[in-house]
């Protein structure tokens, strides 16, 4: 007999008994067998234990209940994960740092267009990164701190997600195709134990317009996830762009969670779940945490 799936519906403060009932009808309607169901937290999150086709269940529920976030995962893997590997820009924070940095050079429109194409998977990431950084040549190094202070804001739920997992024994790694001068303070503010991102070459007190090798790209993100040593079934990967797809898929293939967060279409399609409405605490709901458990 096939292992059961854990289906979690999340809509903080807006999930009604009627929604829960409708979800159960949808699951049964595509031929899945419901084993059990219960409120994870009344009005916020609802769990259904079922046997069936996971991707088909997710698609049917997202279509029938478009205002809900839906996570479908294996019931045979540890629900509370022991590792989180997360992207930074547009995932843990609400902006793309290189776009905001380019704004200080009067080049945001040009740089943002390249960023958007790269995140959609239309450009080679390393080439796109080098092209964007080249446009920043001559920008004062002091602008990095100014940009971080004025433009970088954490996405809602970032602290709660990482600190709650850490309080329950999980390891945490922030891995970014962005830059260490942004990633290090962001990691500290959120509570990540480790951080890896690209560096920027400087010449005196200005940016040189180059990035030293090796570049933190999609392959590097996946390699870091796999090299951690935590069983993949106990890992959670989260990101929003095309360069996050390999690590998301590696987590999924190993029985863990690979979740897209307010993501570009390719990343959303490749992930196990796509958080379209809620904040990062949806990832805590997926792990079975109630609000009283949250830290941060």
């Amino acid at each position: 007999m096939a292992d059961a799936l854990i289906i979690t519906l999340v809509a903080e403060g807006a999930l009604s008994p009627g929604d829960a009932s409708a979800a159960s009808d949808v699951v049964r309607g595509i031929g899945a067998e419901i084993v059990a169901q219960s409120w994870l937290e009344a009005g916020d999150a609802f769990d259904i234990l079922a046997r069936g086709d996971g991707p088909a269940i997710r698609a049917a529920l997202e279509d029938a209940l478009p205002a809900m976030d839906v996570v479908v995962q294996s019931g045979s893997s540890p629900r509370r994960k022991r590792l989180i590997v997360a992207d930074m820009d547009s995932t843990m924070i609400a902006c793309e740092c290189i776009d905001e940095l380019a704004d200080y050079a009067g080049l945001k429109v040009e740089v943002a267009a390249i960023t958007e194409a790269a995140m959609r998977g239309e450009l080679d990431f390393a080439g796109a990164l080098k092209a964007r950084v080249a446009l920043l040549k001559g920008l004062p190094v002091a602008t990095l701190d100014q940009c971080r202070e004025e433009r970088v804001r954490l996405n809602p739920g970032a602290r709660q997600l990482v600190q709650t997992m850490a309080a329950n024994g999980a390891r945490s790694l922030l891995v970014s195709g962005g830059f260490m001068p942004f990633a290090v303070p962001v990691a500290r503010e959120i509570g990540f134990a480790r951080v890896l991102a690209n560096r920027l070459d400087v010449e005196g007190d200005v940016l040189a317009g180059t990035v030293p090798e090796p570049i933190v790209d999609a392959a590097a993100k996946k390699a870091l996830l796999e090299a951690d040593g935590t069983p993949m079934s106990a890992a959670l990967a989260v990101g929003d762009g095309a360069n996050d797809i390999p690590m998301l898929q590696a987590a999924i293939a190993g029985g863990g969670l690979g979740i897209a967060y307010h993501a570009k279409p390719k990343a959303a399609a490749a992930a196990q779940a796509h958080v379209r409405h809620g904040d990062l605490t949806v990832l805590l709901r997926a792990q079975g945490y109630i609000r009283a458990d949250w830290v941060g």
Side-chain angles (χ1 to χ4, degrees), residues 87-95 152-161 186 189-190 240 261-262 278-281:
D87 171 55
M88 180 177 72
D89 293 53
S90 298
T91 301
M92 289 291 136
I93 62 175
C95 67
V152 176
R153 299 293 180 267
L154 302 186
N155 269 331
R159 284 197 191 94
Q160 289 92 336
L161 171 61
V186 165
E189 187 175 359
I190 292 174
D240 74 294
Y261 182 78
H262 294 272
D279 63 27
L280 286 160
T281 59

Side-chain angles (χ1 to χ4, degrees), residues 39-72:
W39 285 98
L40 177 60
E41 194 135 35
D44 299 323
F46 188 74
D47 280 342
I48 301 172
L49 195 65
R51 289 189 177 91
D53 182 323
I57 290 171
R58 170 193 167 187
L61 286 170
E62 288 182 342
D63 183 58
L65 298 166
M68 309 291 159
D69 285 313
V70 180
V71 180
V72 181

Side-chain angles (χ1 to χ4, degrees), residues 100-101 104 143-152 182:
E100 299 307 319
L101 195 58
Y104 290 86
T143 308
L144 296 170
D145 287 338
Q146 181 184 0
C147 179
R148 188 184 71 250
E149 292 169 3
E150 294 179 353
R151 304 290 181 90
V152 176
F182 294 97

Side-chain angles (χ1 to χ4, degrees), residues 29 34 50 59-60 72 79 104 132 142 151 184 195 197 199 201 203 224 227 244 248 262 282 293:
I34 292 182
V72 181
R79 188 170 186 186
Y104 290 86
R132 287 174 290 168
R151 304 290 181 90
V184 169
V195 57
R199 300 182 183 276
D201 289 324
E203 294 175 346
L224 281 167
D244 298 311
L248 298 179
H262 294 272
V282 172
D293 298 326

Side-chain angles (χ1 to χ4, degrees), residues 14-35:
L15 192 59
S16 71
D19 293 325
S21 178
S24 299
D25 290 342
V26 169
V27 172
R28 290 192 185 96
I30 62 168
E33 174 196 358
I34 292 182
V35 178

